Amino acid sequence: MSASHHEEETHDMGLKVLSTSTIHPRVRTVQVSRPEAQDTTFLAATAKGLGVTLKHFARNLFLPMKKLAKRNAAGAPTDETWRNEIETVQYPEEKVTYPERFRGLHRLTLREDGNVRCVACMCCPTVCPAHCITIIPAETDDKGIEKKPAIFEIDELRCVVCGLCVEACPCDAIRMDTGMHARPVEDRADAIETRETMMGRGVRSIAVQGGEGPDWRAHGHEVTKTDVNR
Amino acid sequence: MKTLYDILDWPGTKWLFIVLALVMPLASLLTWAERRQSAMMQDRLGPNRANIGPVKIMGILHFVADAVKMIFKEDVIPANVHKGLFTLAPILALAPVLIAFCIIPFGPTIYPHVYTQTLDTYALATQPQNAMFADSIRLQMFQVDFGLIFYFAVLTLANYGGTIAGWASYNKWALLGGLRSSSQMMSYEVAMGMALMGAFLVTGSLEPGFIASHGASDSMSGSNPLNWLWLWQPVGLILFFTAAIAETKRAPFDIPEGEPEIIGYFVEYSGMRWGIFFLAEFIEIVFISSVIATVFFGGWQVPFLDADGFRVGGYVDQVNHISVGGWFRPLPHAIVTGLQFAAFGLKVILLCWFQLMIRWTLPRFRADQLMHLGWKLLLPLSLANIMVTALIKLLFMGGS
Ligand code: SF4
Ligand code: SF4
């Protein structure tokens, strides 16, 4: 009987091999392990299980709720001994704070003068895999900027929340950092975000225009190709 | 006045009372309690928001919302079902449970003319024809010597509900579920009946009212918790409880239904028809709790509260079978009966709670494990229980 044979035999079914025949290795005396009495009556196991569930039940019934912050932090150690273990967040009243990089509804950032920052370069509608961004460009008086979106719409029903538009934007004009999710609407048309709605969500970009602060034109130099590319 | 008492003592009135005041509210609340309790056991909150305006008592009104939803839901009757049987099945599941309640004593006998006084138990035992004890109302609909047998006979009919539902649904899975249901009920009915035989041997009666009011031993008063059968028939209690849970077809024995995956006999039912199955299941929980409370936990007895007041350490006068002596604090009949009725309700609620605990603790049995447990464990054990009980009764208690 080879060693590999022996391994294979003891392996199957958890049988304990008592002796093996010399004529053929598969002819052998084995000991079958039958379930013990306490496993077939289930009484001890039931009592143990009831103890566990009863402990949870009593604790959750009689002790006060955990603080919301504790429930928010997933996997945070529970150092509040005299609190219950309920993890439920009561949604409309309590809200879970989303992770920092949660991709929420879009917003269009603003310039220092309150105009839309977007220059209608059409990068985002081009990259958008769902084809849900509609931009109709218009001219601006500002020669350094040249274009602005006259209409900027995103169909939130088609958006797959991939964030590629944010990645594609060369001038930090579109962002998804609102932390809001798409609201329920009664009409499909209501799910289309307009330029004004998205401009209304939040504040200026933290980037500084042209790298030189809000009054960069006051430095007096002409707009050159390098400036635009910068 | 006479007719008023007659109406009150009429079984129909009592049935309406117990169904509308105890069973239905408890069963509907259980549908909510089960979800809240299971949530609490799993570190969740459970349904706590149903409200009528500002009234939101921990979401207790969820059962109202459920009922409204189920009544107004579309009642789908699939093509090819056997319409007659399909309609009949929910009724067959619900009716037997409601009928079986008539053997349950849910309170003591009320003597309306001495309501404000302490009950004179000696006078009651010696001259029961006295006018003060006239017009008595027994809080039990149907007092017969074969009470528990009647319960088995009637509750077995509930079996047909599931089986016929599976048969009439024209659905293979429903049919298999119905078959599982009937095989399970049949296997466990035997063990259930045998488990109660021990109680019969100890008390010498199958009348639940007698078991509740007298207890196991003649020398102790019925209100003594040591005289209740949980102490005298512990094995019987565990066996009966196990078999009874299997009888209600709930986890860990919910093989006939198996909602999440193997789907059971009411898979084709929707709306209120399904709701009736659901309600029948919860009423069965209440009923099983009532039976266990009555047989094993003294029914409506409050510990140490005799018919005339609290008594500790007295003895039972063997001639008139009334409790005398000991420390005694008399109470008016009205308070005594009120306490006793409340005690019955409390025991039933606690036992319901315990059944829910079990249901949310144990995973489902496999069908072969179920049969193994029923035939190879519960049945022999209950037979052994009968033998041992009979031997002890014969050898040590004079065999009376
Ligand atoms: S998130 Fe993705 S899908 Fe949505 S608008 Fe941006 S690019 Fe399009
Ligand atoms: S990529 Fe940025 S600048 Fe270009 S169109 Fe989109 S939002 Fe406007």
Side-chain angles (χ1 to χ4, degrees):
Chain A
M1 186 190 74
S2 68
S4 67
H5 242 122
H6 185 76
E7 252 171 43
E8 180 200 304
E9 279 156 13
T10 46
H11 220 243
D12 57 341
M13 318 285 292
L15 300 178
K16 195 174 163 207
V17 180
L18 295 181
S19 67
T20 312
S21 158
T22 46
I23 301 165
H24 193 277
R26 289 196 62 81
V27 178
R28 63 221 204 266
T29 319
V30 294
Q31 191 177 15
V32 186
S33 55
R34 302 257 181 239
E36 303 278 325
Q38 71 257 30
D39 294 336
T40 47
T41 55
F42 306 105
L43 261 185
T46 303
K48 200 172 151 206
L50 276 175
V52 172
T53 46
L54 190 64
K55 202 183 89 200
H56 278 261
F57 180 67
R59 195 182 157 106
N60 293 335
L61 191 66
F62 295 117
L63 297 187
M65 290 283 282
K66 266 191 266 187
K67 294 196 191 80
L68 179 62
K70 292 279 178 194
R71 270 176 284 151
N72 270 348
T78 322
D79 52 353
E80 296 169 310
T81 318
W82 288 104
R83 300 265 171 178
N84 63 23
E85 288 159 347
I86 289 176
E87 300 289 343
T88 310
V89 174
Q90 306 225 44
Y91 169 61
E93 293 94 32
E94 304 174 348
K95 281 186 179 125
V96 172
T97 41
Y98 289 124
E100 245 172 66
R101 300 198 53 187
F102 170 78
R103 293 199 285 263
L105 284 181
H106 302 79
R107 73 180 168 97
L108 290 176
T109 54
L110 308 179
R111 289 172 190 283
E112 293 79 10
D113 55 5
N115 284 329
V116 67
R117 197 176 173 93
C118 169
V119 294
C121 73
M122 305 305 254
C123 278
C124 56
T126 310
V127 77
C128 176
H131 298 300
C132 62
I133 307 180
T134 311
I135 295 175
I136 308 251
E139 275 191 42
T140 55
D141 306 333
D142 194 323
K143 269 206 268 170
I145 299 173
E146 289 185 2
K147 285 205 291 180
K148 67 172 184 193
I151 288 177
F152 194 122
E153 286 179 350
I154 298 183
D155 186 347
E156 292 290 347
L157 287 182
R158 291 182 64 175
C159 171
V160 295
V161 208
C162 63
L164 285 181
C165 48
V166 181
E167 299 289 327
C169 182
C171 47
D172 191 27
I174 187 164
R175 286 185 166 210
M176 299 179 77
D177 57 0
T178 48
M180 305 150 67
H181 31 229
R183 66 215 142 81
V185 289
E186 290 183 351
D187 197 321
R188 277 167 178 269
D190 294 341
I192 295 175
E193 303 269 292
T194 62
R195 195 184 82 145
E196 274 63 37
T197 342
M198 286 189 285
M199 282 168 69
R201 272 190 204 124
V203 289
R204 291 202 322 235
S205 159
I206 48 159
V208 172
Q209 184 75 38
E212 289 182 36
D215 45 355
W216 64 287
R217 260 182 225 100
H219 296 296
H221 56 232
E222 279 297 296
V223 175
T224 62
K225 206 168 182 323
T226 3
D227 276 329
V228 173
N229 275 354
R230 188 150 54 182
Chain B
M1 223 36 203
K2 195 81 189 158
T3 46
L4 173 68
Y5 291 128
D6 280 347
I7 289 173
L8 284 181
D9 200 28
W10 184 55
T13 321
K14 296 184 212 169
W15 186 81
L16 277 182
F17 174 75
I18 190 170
V19 165
L20 295 182
L22 193 75
V23 178
M24 281 300 184
L26 199 51
S28 357
L29 281 183
L30 273 181
T31 63
W32 165 84
E34 166 162 77
R35 282 173 281 168
R36 271 321 284 271
Q37 186 180 336
S38 62
M40 290 294 197
M41 287 159 66
Q42 298 166 349
D43 296 344
R44 297 181 287 114
L45 268 181
N48 61 346
R49 308 196 83 89
N51 60 320
I52 298 180
V55 184
K56 183 166 95 180
I57 325 141
M58 300 182 296
I60 227 166
L61 292 164
H62 263 277
F63 79 89
V64 182
D66 276 346
V68 171
K69 182 194 81 172
M70 279 188 301
I71 289 169
F72 287 103
K73 245 178 141 173
E74 186 185 356
D75 176 28
V76 184
I77 300 185
N80 289 331
V81 303
H82 189 296
K83 286 225 176 55
L85 292 181
F86 191 78
T87 318
L88 186 66
I91 303 170
L92 275 183
L94 179 67
V97 206
L98 289 179
I99 293 171
F101 262 104
C102 69
I103 58 145
I104 300 288
F106 50 98
T109 306
I110 296 176
Y111 300 99
H113 297 305
V114 288
Y115 216 57
T116 50
Q117 313 152 23
T118 302
L119 194 70
D120 187 349
T121 45
Y122 181 73
L124 180 63
T126 47
Q127 32 177 317
Q129 304 305 328
N130 193 317
M132 6 185 235
F133 303 125
D135 305 325
S136 66
I137 302 167
R138 191 182 164 83
L139 292 186
Q140 179 186 16
M141 271 161 266
F142 190 43
Q143 187 194 7
V144 281
D145 288 342
F146 54 87
L148 290 175
I149 307 255
F150 176 82
Y151 139 56
F152 288 127
V154 169
L155 215 63
T156 312
L157 292 177
N159 191 354
Y160 287 104
T163 316
I164 287 183
W167 173 254
S169 287
Y170 196 70
N171 178 320
K172 294 188 190 82
W173 288 277
L175 180 57
L176 287 174
L179 287 179
R180 285 198 301 272
S181 151
S182 55
S183 71
Q184 175 174 333
M185 302 270 276
M186 267 184 256
S187 321
Y188 276 76
E189 217 121 67
V190 187
M192 205 155 101
M194 290 298 165
L196 279 192
M197 272 335 237
F200 167 60
L201 285 175
V202 171
T203 57
S205 172
L206 276 174
E207 206 280 294
F210 180 87
I211 299 178
S213 56
H214 285 77
S217 162
D218 262 356
S219 52
M220 280 187 271
S221 74
S223 60
N224 190 338
L226 297 181
N227 198 12
W228 299 346
L229 283 174
W230 63 270
L231 189 65
W232 300 68
Q233 280 290 312
V235 181
L237 171 61
I238 293 174
L239 294 176
F240 181 74
F241 206 102
T242 316
I245 291 178
E247 196 73 7
T248 57
K249 301 194 282 283
R250 285 165 55 80
F253 304 110
D254 62 339
I255 295 161
E257 287 155 34
E259 299 102 338
E261 61 293 271
I262 51 177
I263 62 175
Y265 52 85
F266 49 54
V267 59
E268 295 291 1
Y269 282 82
S270 55
M272 202 54 209
R273 282 180 213 274
W274 177 83
I276 290 177
F277 276 118
F278 192 58
L279 194 64
E281 196 179 299
F282 279 96
I283 293 179
E284 231 168 289
I285 299 176
V286 180
F287 180 71
I288 294 297
S289 303
S290 321
V291 173
I292 294 175
T294 304
V295 174
F296 292 101
F297 292 100
W300 41 262
Q301 302 272 14
V302 182
F304 304 111
L305 181 68
D306 285 334
D308 44 1
F310 277 104
R311 175 181 280 110
V312 181
Y315 61 95
V316 173
D317 167 10
Q318 290 300 330
V319 183
N320 298 316
H321 206 88
I322 53 173
S323 308
V324 283
W327 177 86
F328 180 58
R329 166 92 177 73
L331 280 177
H333 187 51
I335 294 183
V336 169
T337 47
L339 278 177
Q340 286 174 331
F341 179 66
F344 179 73
L346 187 70
K347 283 173 191 172
V348 170
I349 288 174
L350 280 179
L351 284 165
C352 288
W353 170 83
F354 189 66
Q355 287 189 57
L356 296 191
M357 280 299 288
I358 290 189
R359 188 239 187 280
W360 288 97
T361 299
L362 299 180
R364 182 185 306 142
F365 277 69
R366 229 170 37 217
D368 64 317
Q369 288 172 328
L370 180 92
M371 290 299 151
H372 181 279
L373 186 72
W375 289 108
K376 285 158 83 177
L377 212 71
L378 291 191
L379 185 59
L381 274 181
S382 50
L383 288 174
N385 184 40
I386 296 175
M387 291 309 292
V388 172
T389 311
L391 273 180
I392 292 178
K393 181 104 183 169
L394 191 65
L395 297 180
F396 300 110
M397 295 161 75
S400 62

